[in-house]
Amino acid sequence: MAIFVWVIVTLLLGQTLAHLDEALARLDLSRTVVIQDPTAAVNNTITECRTRPADIVFLLDSSSSEGQDGFTAQVNFVYNVTKAFNIGPEDVQVSVVVFASSPFNQFFLNEFTKKADVLAAIRSVNYQPGNTQTDDGLAFVLHNSFLPIHGGRNASEKILIVLTDGKSTDTTSTASVANQIHNTDIKVISIGIGSGIDRAELATIASDAKRMYLVANFSVLSDIVDEVAKKTCTSTELVCRSTPADILFLLDTSSSEGTPSFNIQLEFVKNFTKDFEIGADKVQIAVATFSDTTQSEFWYNDHDNSSSLIAAIGRIMYRSGNTHTEDALRFARTEGFTAKHGARNDSNHIIIILSDGQSIDKSQTKNEADGIHSAGIQVIAIGIGVSIDQQELRDIASGSGDQNAFSVANFQALRTIELPIQKQTCEVQEVCSTRPSDIVFLLDTSNGGEDNFKKGLEFVRNFASKLIIGPDNVQISIVSFSTSWQMEFSLNKFSKKQGLLNAVMKIPYRPGNTPTADGLHFVGENSFQSGNGARPNANQIVVVISDGGSAKSSQTAVEAAALHEKDIKVIALGAGLRIDSNELNNIASGNAFVFTAVDFDALLKMEKDIRDTTCKTQVPTCSTEPTEIVFLLDSSSSEGSVNFKKQLNFVSNFIDGFDISPSAVQVAVVTFSTVATNRFFLNDYMSKASLKSAITRIPYNSGNTHTGNGLEFVRQTSLSQAHGARPGSKKVVIVMTDGQSQQKLLTANQGILLRKEGVMVISIGIGAAIDLSELAVIASDDKHMVKVSNFDNLNAIEKQIQDIVCSGLVCASTPADIMFVLDSSASIGPFNFHVMLNFITDFVRKFDVGTSAVQFGVVTFANDAHPQFDLGRYETRAQVIAGISNILYRYGGTYTEKALQYVRTTSFSPGHGSRSLAAKIAIVLTDGQSQSVEKTKAEAQALHSAGIEVISVGIGSAVNAKELTNIATNVSYVFSVATFDALDTIQAELLQATCSAQVTQPPATVKPGPCVSTDSADVIFLLDSSNSEGPNNFQQELDFVVKFVDDFPIGPNNFQFGIITFASNARMQISLNDNPTESDLRLAILQVDYDGGLTYANEALELARTVGFTDVSGARNGTRRFVIVVTDGASTAPAATLKEAQLLKDEGVTIITVGVGKQVAETELRTVATDSSGGVFLVNSFGDLQTEEHDIELELCSELRTTLPAVVPTDLPTVADTL
């Protein structure tokens, strides 16, 4: 445990406060604690670190729940953490406070200046049980521990480490004091130990979510740190340490300095650069000196590693002379950031200038500084000694205040500002994401008052000032709302930061009501349109700032949900006492995206945490459905340590898309080579921070490739309840390997057993040495098998794997014929029968329905068997669900045997849609005993003998348990519930049983395609997703596309398909090169979301032309290109639609149009289409799309055989021509 917290503190000192945790420890002043071998907890390899000044206060819970042993462990931990640091007035100072019913200060920061004395004082800390008055302990630290009179230093890091094993006595007061601490510069780590902790309270105590740790016990803590500790001793881990930046140091070498002082400057530069990653794609450093003239010492491209750079800094010579600062700045402006010297256009440009005096020409110095500021170069100015001019320093530095201007009393004091300078450099380098980001601020201007509104604007300005603004980086728009909404400026209004910042502060205050719903609606419908600067490849983010509840909370929730459906990340910020916390939760994309502050001053202090969350925290990919994910990672010799590390990076990035908690997603990792090795179980880590930390520490062990052993361990151990698997949860295994198993039979058998137990298995093959047939045997089906060419490409499949895990599909997509056999007797009644239909509808939603996947049929029974629909009747999930909704209730007796006989002799026959190679499963639901138990038993045995798997479900108290057992194939296929309403409680188990009844997918029969076998084409579907469609019709659109692509060979040498949806704006849902196999494509189509909105078909056509048919999106040179437009109405912008259609046709793209329903604009469809007669298809309803599928395929194939005519530009038709 001591090593763990030592590492956290080391990270805080050297990493600009990295990971944090929550904790409160309990303490006892009545007895002296005996330190048991305190040195044993520290690894012998850990030595004293080079640290910056830090004031560290330990706040230890001493309440009764701790007990003597628990408290002793905490004191041992404090002892060992302290032992790892240099202790003294210029280094690290330590204080200890304990609390139970009251706080008890043990010693202040300045009481001991020698390590031996501090360690002796820690030995004397006493344990005194009592209540858990965490609030009093926090209040004592806030008001006393960091005061100057008690040793607190202005230039030091201030760190509070709270340890606890339980919940505070007064949670409200604890939260209040914690928030007061967060408004200071004290950073709080909270560490929660054991099962008695309050997760929410720990989160409140910690400075942010990254600084909260939840650990099961002290032994888990001690396992975490050793490897990380060694690294943090010798180097810091700045947030921006590898963010691309070109940093130019300008060093004063005038006569007033002298050689000794100049050498201290050089040491400062050395120490500064040691904490960054140096390289052509990371941080680059250049140095110039100035006195009478300015001299370049070396440029950015002269040194591409840290050791070479440090050596070069050491060789810089002192030159005396006058202080011509203006020449140095002119040199930096004209020469400092040119390509010939290695400066990069896409990196941040930063100047750090150090001087001990005043410039010879102040006026010219200011002019040159202004020129640098106008060029967007950030300047940090450092003045040394008493001869500097503070105003000149501020003029040189970027910004309007002292944010980038620093001064120290002498050269020796430079070390005290090393960390603040690095922090400011990181602030300057802030990037929002690896992708461009479009951020819209939605500002409440209603009733909060003009002063608060101005502070809200100041928050936005500060937020924007830290980001790189421009068309290739971050764009910002502001929409305000009171009685009505007002777009202050659009995303593409400002391409330069200064213009944006000026515009923010000019926004006027408009008091009124609080129609938040209207503001959200406007943003969703307008702000992210291309005409307002939105980019198709950018993150879309909305930040809502409000000081009170909305006028219509229910409508606000609806509009927020619409934004979430469009994959727009929403951050909700509430300031003041009138905020509605529930509404903020509804507005935000998740709990992690909600921030509250007592007032706008407090909100301003939270800006960095909010910015980090806005830019870097992913919206969870899945809902909070309980899911167990076990990674099985190949660690064999063929991988090597470098590639194995890339696997770990993939896993760490992958889990960012999930809510990690005991009630949501749990993760375990197992590695395999010659043997399988558990790295951690599902219930070992309960927070994302601790989980990611554990992943980084997984070691590489080479050996053979015994994949079977790994699968067996996962099945028997990792997914057991003893190690955290929860009953009824979704279970997923992700296997990653770069080779072939040396236990092929065992591997295949274990893969089959996992699937039979209802586990979703995803296999990822990396490189050229994989065995595709083995990957197929491991995976649930071919849709769950993914291949990448090398380890560097793993990041490209991250979203794809997340989507597979998140999909509602539970079982494999291998062929299965499933018949529902539903009791419709008099005892059921129409209401309960309807409940039963709803249950099987939800069940069907979990399967991939299709002629090559799962088929469903339904038979009801009372006095006789009543077939509702056969297995082959419906080919899509939407059709099956519609068929179920049409089933009518028939009352009568309970002649179960007649239904079983019908299913055996008729339902599973080829003439009624059953397939010879498909698994055959019957699911019987009944609420009573059959009329003839013996006949029912005989018919059930006949079903078993025919190879049909039978699952029986009994509902209510009148069922015959023995008969249910007779009906089912085996006892594991028997289920019973007390009432019809309780059916949902067994859905997960029933799904698992059904999955286990599915057999391994047999070789699929390849159906001849409609085109010539050598044909290929790039085809993009443009699917109308507007309000007039609705989600049900949109699902039928997707079903049509699935069925369409099923008829074509898919691949980079065959047909490629993409999808763009359009409503109020267009979205590229699937690019041509996203899904190289039919199974990948089919799964991706089923995951496409419905948007709702207007019908801007022109934006979809434009997106197809400018993005869809580009090399980046997979379009192939020399391959015919098609667009198939499916819509149920006229376009909102007909003139623009015709223009975009003609531009596509001018580029040789063939357009086929499909109109659905009576509201289509037939003339528009014919004008848009390449062939105004043969290339236009009209159907009455979405259900009729399937009837035209073959003809549309033939039209496409026909066009493929036609040579494109030379394109002759023609005048575009006018709107009037088409109406």
Side-chain angles (χ1 to χ4, degrees):
M1 175 178 180
I3 301 176
F4 170 65
V5 176
W6 176 83
V7 173
I8 298 175
V9 175
T10 310
L11 287 168
L12 283 169
L13 298 180
Q15 189 187 345
T16 318
L17 302 165
H19 301 307
L20 311 146
D21 280 317
E22 41 173 310
L24 299 163
R26 317 232 169 167
L27 168 49
D28 183 338
L29 290 171
S30 64
R31 286 169 281 170
T32 300
V33 176
V34 179
I35 307 290
Q36 298 178 348
D37 190 14
T39 61
V42 180
N43 189 298
N44 291 332
T45 62
I46 298 176
T47 58
E48 290 188 306
C49 298
R50 173 182 68 81
T51 60
R52 300 183 176 86
D55 295 334
I56 305 173
V57 177
F58 293 92
L59 181 59
L60 307 181
D61 183 353
S62 177
S63 59
S64 301
S65 59
E66 277 286 316
Q68 181 69 58
D69 291 342
F71 187 74
T72 299
Q74 289 183 122
V75 174
N76 285 341
F77 133 73
V78 175
Y79 183 98
N80 288 317
V81 170
T82 304
K83 197 171 187 295
F85 292 99
N86 294 322
I87 301 296
E90 301 299 323
D91 294 296
V92 175
Q93 298 183 147
V94 172
S95 168
V96 175
V97 179
V98 300
F99 70 93
S101 298
S102 301
F104 301 94
N105 183 62
Q106 302 300 295
F107 53 88
F108 285 116
L109 293 163
N110 56 356
E111 286 192 36
F112 304 104
T113 59
K114 296 181 180 179
K115 180 182 292 187
D117 295 336
V118 175
L119 295 177
I122 294 170
R123 287 191 180 99
S124 301
V125 172
N126 296 319
Y127 172 59
Q128 178 177 335
N131 297 325
T132 312
Q133 297 297 148
T134 316
D135 53 337
D136 290 344
L138 291 170
F140 180 88
V141 171
L142 173 63
H143 298 300
N144 297 277
S145 297
F146 292 103
L147 293 177
I149 193 174
H150 295 140
R153 297 164 293 180
N154 289 333
S156 68
E157 290 282 358
K158 295 172 178 59
I159 305 163
L160 169 61
I161 303 174
V162 186
L163 293 91
T164 186
D165 74 335
K167 182 177 180 180
S168 70
T169 303
D170 188 339
T171 56
T172 301
S173 179
T174 296
S176 175
V177 180
N179 286 328
Q180 293 177 50
I181 293 176
H182 299 330
N183 288 334
T184 72
D185 60 350
I186 301 168
K187 298 300 180 183
V188 187
I189 302 168
S190 63
I191 304 171
I193 308 164
S195 59
I197 57 175
D198 182 334
R199 181 188 179 95
E201 184 172 68
L202 287 173
T204 302
I205 294 171
S207 290
D208 57 40
K210 296 178 182 177
R211 294 177 170 92
M212 179 186 79
Y213 280 79
L214 308 174
V215 292
N217 51 58
F218 291 105
S219 63
V220 174
L221 289 173
S222 63
D223 292 341
I224 291 179
V225 264
D226 201 16
E227 184 177 342
V228 180
K230 297 173 190 174
K231 297 177 183 177
T232 56
C233 270
T234 55
S235 66
T236 59
E237 290 287 332
L238 289 170
V239 172
C240 67
R241 70 189 308 257
S242 61
T243 304
D246 299 329
I247 304 175
L248 172 62
F249 280 93
L250 298 178
L251 305 182
D252 184 352
T253 180
S254 61
S255 300
S256 58
E257 294 231 349
T259 300
S261 295
F262 182 75
N263 287 338
I264 294 175
Q265 273 189 128
L266 296 183
E267 286 303 311
F268 170 82
V269 178
K270 285 182 184 178
N271 287 334
F272 179 94
T273 59
K274 283 177 183 177
D275 294 335
F276 292 90
E277 289 188 6
I278 304 300
D281 59 345
K282 297 182 176 66
V283 175
Q284 297 184 144
I285 304 288
V287 175
T289 56
F290 66 94
S291 54
D292 289 325
T293 61
T294 301
Q295 174 73 40
S296 168
E297 303 296 342
F298 56 81
W299 287 111
Y300 307 107
N301 49 6
D302 288 338
H303 304 286
D304 61 0
N305 61 78
S306 182
S307 58
S308 170
L309 174 65
I310 299 291
I313 295 170
R315 293 192 294 269
I316 297 175
M317 303 297 293
Y318 168 66
R319 301 178 183 88
S320 63
N322 294 314
T323 311
H324 284 280
T325 314
E326 77 283 358
D327 285 341
L329 293 174
R330 183 183 304 111
F331 173 86
R333 179 174 59 81
T334 58
E335 296 288 330
F337 297 96
T338 60
K340 67 179 180 180
H341 295 140
R344 299 156 294 183
N345 288 332
D346 58 348
S347 69
N348 301 294
H349 294 166
I350 304 166
I351 295 171
I352 302 177
I353 182 169
L354 291 87
S355 179
D356 75 334
Q358 303 176 31
S359 169
I360 295 294
D361 188 339
K362 292 184 179 182
S363 174
Q364 193 57 35
T365 295
K366 185 177 187 306
N367 290 339
E368 289 296 339
D370 289 342
I372 290 174
H373 301 160
S374 298
I377 300 168
Q378 301 293 323
V379 185
I380 297 173
I382 303 173
I384 309 161
V386 296
S387 298
I388 60 174
D389 182 334
Q390 292 287 353
Q391 184 56 52
E392 183 176 59
L393 206 63
R394 285 191 289 269
D395 289 341
I396 294 172
S398 296
S400 57
D402 296 331
Q403 187 178 24
N404 292 294
F406 295 83
S407 59
V408 291
N410 51 55
F411 283 89
Q412 286 77 13
L414 278 172
R415 70 183 293 270
T416 66
I417 64 168
E418 181 184 326
L419 178 61
I421 298 295
Q422 285 184 330
K423 282 184 176 181
Q424 193 57 32
T425 304
C426 281
E427 292 292 328
V428 169
Q429 295 186 59
E430 186 70 57
V431 292
C432 197
S433 173
T434 56
R435 291 169 55 196
S437 296
D438 290 337
I439 304 176
V440 178
F441 283 90
L442 182 59
L443 306 183
D444 179 358
T445 74
S446 57
N447 299 310
E450 189 167 5
D451 287 344
N452 282 333
F453 179 70
K454 287 181 177 179
K455 289 175 182 177
L457 295 180
E458 184 180 353
F459 172 89
V460 177
R461 184 190 64 185
N462 293 345
F463 185 104
S465 69
K466 306 300 192 303
L467 301 175
I468 306 170
I469 303 298
D472 297 322
N473 294 290
V474 176
Q475 296 184 151
I476 289 179
S477 168
I478 293 183
V479 175
S480 62
F481 67 95
S482 56
T483 302
S484 63
W485 53 262
Q486 176 72 38
M487 179 182 279
E488 306 294 348
F489 51 82
S490 61
L491 291 164
N492 56 359
K493 177 67 175 177
F494 299 102
S495 59
K496 300 292 184 183
K497 182 183 294 184
Q498 196 57 52
L500 170 67
L501 300 182
N502 292 339
V504 169
M505 299 312 295
K506 292 178 182 177
I507 295 174
Y509 172 60
R510 302 181 184 91
N513 299 322
T514 313
T516 314
D518 293 345
L520 292 170
H521 180 79
F522 175 83
V523 169
E525 292 297 315
N526 297 277
S527 295
F528 294 105
Q529 290 189 17
S530 58
N532 288 321
R535 299 158 294 181
N537 63 328
N539 298 312
Q540 295 184 338
I541 303 167
V542 175
V543 181
V544 182
I545 305 178
S546 180
D547 68 345
S550 69
K552 300 177 181 177
S553 58
S554 60
Q555 188 60 32
T556 297
V558 170
E559 295 297 343
L563 290 176
H564 304 160
E565 286 292 318
K566 294 178 180 179
D567 290 332
I568 297 171
K569 183 197 294 186
V570 186
I571 316 294
L573 313 182
L577 303 178
R578 299 186 302 109
I579 59 174
D580 183 336
S581 296
N582 290 332
E583 184 170 75
L584 291 176
N585 288 328
N586 288 334
I587 292 172
S589 293
N591 292 338
F593 304 101
V594 177
F595 292 85
T596 59
V598 293
D599 53 33
F600 277 88
D601 289 323
L603 186 68
L604 284 167
K605 294 179 181 179
M606 298 164 64
E607 180 266 323
K608 186 179 187 304
D609 286 340
I610 294 170
R611 177 161 36 87
D612 286 345
T613 299
T614 302
C615 289
K616 296 168 185 175
T617 302
Q618 291 187 30
V619 177
T621 304
C622 287
S623 66
T624 54
E625 174 188 6
T627 303
E628 325 294 3
I629 303 177
V630 181
F631 284 92
L632 180 59
L633 306 181
D634 187 347
S635 178
S636 60
S637 300
S638 59
E639 294 237 345
S641 59
V642 174
N643 286 333
F644 182 74
K645 181 69 174 176
K646 292 174 182 176
Q647 276 188 137
L648 297 182
N649 290 339
F650 171 82
V651 176
S652 182
N653 293 335
F654 179 91
I655 67 172
D656 278 334
F658 296 87
D659 177 11
I660 305 298
S661 72
S663 61
V665 176
Q666 298 184 148
V667 175
V669 174
V670 176
T671 60
F672 69 93
S673 52
T674 305
V675 296
T677 305
N678 178 63
R679 297 306 176 183
F680 50 83
F681 288 117
L682 293 164
N683 55 355
D684 278 349
Y685 299 104
M686 296 173 282
S687 67
K688 188 175 294 185
S690 57
L691 178 60
K692 289 172 78 73
S693 177
I695 291 168
T696 64
R697 294 189 311 278
I698 295 176
Y700 167 65
N701 295 328
S702 61
N704 298 322
T705 311
H706 289 175
T707 318
N709 288 344
L711 291 168
E712 185 174 36
F713 181 88
V714 168
R715 185 177 64 83
Q716 294 181 345
T717 307
S718 300
L719 290 172
S720 66
Q721 291 188 33
H723 293 111
R726 295 156 294 183
S729 64
K730 185 176 181 179
K731 295 173 177 63
V732 181
V733 173
I734 301 176
V735 184
M736 302 177 70
T737 181
D738 75 333
Q740 304 177 29
S741 171
Q742 292 164 285
Q743 309 166 302
K744 289 190 177 297
L745 183 59
L746 177 63
T747 297
N749 287 337
Q750 290 301 321
I752 292 170
L753 289 172
L754 275 169
R755 294 198 301 278
K756 280 190 169 290
E757 293 174 10
V759 178
M760 176 192 291
V761 186
I762 301 168
S763 63
I764 302 175
I766 311 162
I770 56 177
D771 182 343
L772 291 179
S773 61
E774 184 172 71
L775 289 176
V777 170
I778 294 172
S780 292
D781 54 43
D782 63 344
K783 297 177 182 179
H784 292 75
M785 180 180 74
V786 180
K787 307 177 290 295
V788 291
S789 57
N790 54 58
F791 286 88
D792 291 327
N793 287 340
L794 281 171
N795 64 318
I797 63 168
E798 178 187 320
K799 182 68 166 61
Q800 179 185 359
I801 304 300
Q802 287 176 335
D803 287 344
I804 293 173
V805 173
C806 293
S807 72
L809 309 182
V810 174
C811 298
S813 295
T814 52
D817 293 338
I818 302 177
M819 286 296 304
F820 286 106
V821 185
L822 307 181
D823 186 348
S824 179
S825 61
S827 58
I828 296 258
F831 181 82
N832 286 333
F833 185 76
H834 183 71
V835 172
M836 196 158 49
L837 294 182
N838 287 339
F839 173 74
I840 68 171
T841 296
D842 290 339
F843 187 89
V844 168
R845 294 185 195 278
K846 304 294 183 182
F847 290 84
D848 181 11
V849 177
T851 54
S852 61
V854 178
Q855 295 184 152
F856 285 96
V858 177
V859 170
T860 62
F861 67 93
N863 290 332
D864 208 340
H866 301 285
Q868 301 300 319
F869 55 85
D870 289 333
L871 290 164
R873 182 170 177 183
Y874 298 128
E875 298 181 2
T876 69
R877 186 165 49 205
Q879 290 173 343
V880 172
I881 291 171
I884 293 172
S885 68
N886 292 326
I887 295 175
L888 299 176
Y889 169 63
R890 299 169 184 256
Y891 62 90
T894 311
Y895 287 87
T896 315
E897 74 278 8
K898 292 183 180 181
L900 297 180
Q901 182 185 43
Y902 180 87
V903 167
R904 175 175 60 84
T905 59
T906 306
S907 296
F908 285 112
S909 66
H912 290 264
S914 186
R915 300 159 296 178
S916 59
L917 296 178
K920 295 172 178 59
I921 305 167
I923 302 176
V924 182
L925 289 88
T926 181
D927 78 332
Q929 179 177 297
S930 70
Q931 301 289 125
S932 175
V933 173
E934 289 305 317
K935 288 181 180 180
T936 297
K937 180 179 179 181
E939 285 297 339
Q941 289 174 343
L943 277 169
H944 304 161
S945 299
I948 298 167
E949 300 287 342
V950 186
I951 299 170
S952 62
V953 180
I955 310 158
S957 58
V959 294
N960 183 327
K962 184 176 180 181
E963 185 173 60
L964 289 177
T965 304
N966 290 337
I967 292 172
T969 303
N970 58 61
V971 292
S972 66
Y973 288 176
V974 179
F975 298 89
S976 61
V977 291
T979 66
F980 282 86
D981 290 334
L983 278 170
D984 286 341
T985 65
I986 63 164
Q987 187 181 87
E989 295 173 87
L990 184 61
L991 285 165
Q992 182 172 325
T994 307
C995 291
S996 69
Q998 281 186 257
V999 296
T1000 305
Q1001 182 180 10
T1005 302
V1006 179
K1007 135 171 83 169
C1011 299
V1012 177
S1013 60
T1014 57
D1015 283 343
S1016 63
D1018 291 337
V1019 184
I1020 299 179
F1021 282 91
L1022 307 189
L1023 303 183
D1024 187 345
S1025 179
S1026 61
N1027 286 336
S1028 57
E1029 294 232 345
N1032 292 334
N1033 287 333
F1034 184 73
Q1035 179 64 50
Q1036 293 191 74
E1037 249 184 325
L1038 297 181
D1039 290 338
F1040 160 73
V1041 177
V1042 168
K1043 197 166 186 299
F1044 188 98
V1045 302
D1046 273 350
D1047 290 337
F1048 292 84
I1050 306 300
N1053 297 318
N1054 297 299
F1055 282 76
Q1056 295 185 149
F1057 289 89
I1059 291 182
I1060 293 173
T1061 58
F1062 62 95
S1064 294
N1065 50 43
R1067 282 207 291 164
M1068 175 65 71
Q1069 300 276 7
I1070 300 172
S1071 297
L1072 292 166
N1073 57 357
D1074 278 351
N1075 302 284
T1077 67
E1078 180 178 340
S1079 59
D1080 295 336
L1081 179 60
R1082 185 186 179 100
L1083 179 64
I1085 294 169
L1086 292 172
Q1087 303 300 315
V1088 171
D1089 293 324
Y1090 167 70
D1091 288 326
L1094 302 175
T1095 311
Y1096 282 98
N1098 58 301
E1099 293 196 9
L1101 293 163
E1102 181 184 10
L1103 189 59
R1105 177 173 58 84
T1106 59
V1107 178
F1109 289 121
T1110 61
D1111 294 342
V1112 174
S1113 297
R1116 299 163 291 183
N1117 291 328
T1119 300
R1120 287 290 298 275
R1121 298 174 178 179
F1122 291 81
V1123 160
I1124 301 176
V1125 183
V1126 184
T1127 182
D1128 73 337
S1131 66
T1132 303
T1137 297
L1138 300 184
K1139 177 182 177 181
E1140 287 299 334
Q1142 188 62 49
L1143 290 173
L1144 269 174
K1145 288 184 279 190
D1146 288 347
E1147 293 184 4
V1149 178
T1150 300
I1151 304 178
I1152 297 171
T1153 58
V1154 183
V1156 185
K1158 298 179 180 179
Q1159 301 303 315
V1160 296
E1162 182 175 345
T1163 303
E1164 183 180 64
L1165 292 177
R1166 296 193 183 281
T1167 308
V1168 167
T1170 300
D1171 180 350
S1172 61
S1173 56
V1176 180
F1177 299 84
L1178 302 173
V1179 295
N1180 292 326
S1181 68
F1182 285 91
D1184 293 333
L1185 277 172
Q1186 311 286 347
T1187 64
E1188 292 293 332
E1189 175 211 342
H1190 185 61
D1191 288 340
I1192 298 170
E1193 291 174 350
L1194 291 179
E1195 173 64 14
L1196 186 149
C1197 296
S1198 173
E1199 289 287 344
L1200 268 176
R1201 316 313 304 166
T1202 304
T1203 303
L1204 278 177
V1207 177
V1208 179
T1210 60
D1211 292 334
L1212 291 173
T1214 66
V1215 179
D1217 292 332
T1218 68
L1219 298 179

